[in-house]
Amino acid sequence: MGKNQGGRNIEGLMGIDSAGVVYGLEGPAPSSGLTWTYHAGLVRTIDTTHQGKGFREHRIAGSTLVVTASRDTYVYVTPAGVLSSLAVANNAAKPKADATGIGLHSQFIAKLVSDGSDITSVVNLRENAGADLVVLPAIASFEATAVGTVRIAVPFNGRVIAFDGIVSKALAGTDTGTVTPSLVNMNGTATAITNAALTFAISAAIGVRSITIPSAANRFRAGDRISMANAKTTAGGEVMLSIIVERF
């Protein structure tokens, strides 16, 4: 990323034209406590290693963040791709994304407001990065008569940004359910998409969500198919999938 081609930035040729969050990095306030759970995401920052010319993309894994009581905690991603946080007094001024604040070219994600014992609100501070995103819907069923492979044709060139799954029918017990994506080209050759597999826990309830951000083998051409192999030993359950793709 960040290379020039014929005097033009490659990112510009791909429709990548601004810093910000491409997808994900969100999470609601917990029902109680000071631990915030956030989903995986893809963030684009200004490439400071090339005099601020071009952009870099960073995959951020989903995780948790414990905040300090009675503070406003600002969550951000540094230009190096590190998710960090800064706690200030409740209702204090928002820190700046410069040398005196959270660091030049950092990308704000959220403000977590806490009282003495709980996170009371999560304020979305994400700036959307410029990308031509398309959502392809699919169903991953773990029912006895439906476990197998689902394929979706794509009529344009692009790449898979994320797989976003939400349980729509509670999973049966005993074992987890998995969705393993791959790309199938026009010759029928399948290539697994790196770091794209979704796992849903035993007895996962309706509304449980999981997001993966592929790291490689995620580019496709018009006419290819996105394939998803659904597996669960003990039948039962269903997941609604949103396949987030960027069109080139």
Side-chain angles (χ1 to χ4, degrees):
M1 306 284 295
K3 303 288 186 180
N4 285 333
Q5 180 173 315
R8 209 177 150 195
N9 198 295
I10 286 179
E11 286 86 346
L13 296 174
M14 294 164 49
I16 299 174
D17 55 11
S18 64
V21 176
V22 181
Y23 194 79
L25 279 180
E26 57 193 86
S31 57
S32 62
L34 295 170
T35 300
W36 183 53
T37 300
Y38 57 91
H39 294 290
L42 183 66
V43 180
R44 188 178 304 141
T45 63
I46 291 176
D47 188 354
T48 57
T49 63
H50 292 82
Q51 293 79 47
K53 297 179 181 179
F55 303 97
R56 298 179 66 188
E57 287 188 342
H58 310 280
R59 295 174 61 250
I60 308 295
S63 189
T64 58
L65 175 67
V66 178
V67 305
T68 303
S70 301
R71 292 289 187 273
D72 289 348
T73 300
Y74 286 86
V75 183
Y76 60 97
V77 174
T78 70
V82 178
L83 188 136
S84 304
S85 63
L86 176 66
V88 301
N90 287 139
N91 300 313
K94 177 183 176 182
K96 296 180 179 179
D98 61 16
T100 64
I102 63 172
L104 191 64
H105 301 314
S106 294
Q107 293 295 316
F108 282 104
I109 302 300
K111 180 176 78 169
L112 313 180
V113 180
S114 65
D115 60 17
S117 58
D118 302 310
I119 296 173
T120 57
S121 68
V122 176
V123 181
N124 177 25
L125 298 179
R126 298 173 303 164
E127 294 285 343
N128 292 328
D132 186 6
L133 299 185
V134 178
V135 180
L136 304 177
I139 295 176
S141 178
F142 302 117
E143 295 300 302
T145 58
V147 171
T149 300
V150 176
R151 289 184 177 179
I152 297 177
V154 284
F156 47 78
N157 297 339
R159 63 171 175 162
V160 180
I161 293 292
F163 290 91
D164 190 340
I166 298 179
V167 175
S168 54
K169 181 178 180 181
L171 270 65
T174 308
D175 55 86
T176 61
T178 59
V179 180
T180 305
S182 61
L183 288 177
V184 181
N185 65 23
M186 296 181 69
N187 295 320
T189 302
T191 302
I193 302 175
T194 309
N195 292 316
L198 292 163
T199 299
F200 294 89
I202 299 169
S203 303
I206 292 175
V208 169
R209 187 180 181 193
S210 181
I211 297 176
T212 57
I213 307 294
S215 60
N218 60 330
R219 293 174 182 266
F220 54 80
R221 293 182 177 276
D224 290 350
R225 284 168 169 75
I226 300 172
S227 174
M228 291 155 291
N230 313 322
K232 190 175 187 305
T233 302
T234 305
E238 186 176 84
V239 172
M240 298 298 295
L241 282 175
S242 294
I243 308 168
I244 313 302
V245 301
E246 181 180 17
R247 179 166 44 194
F248 292 165

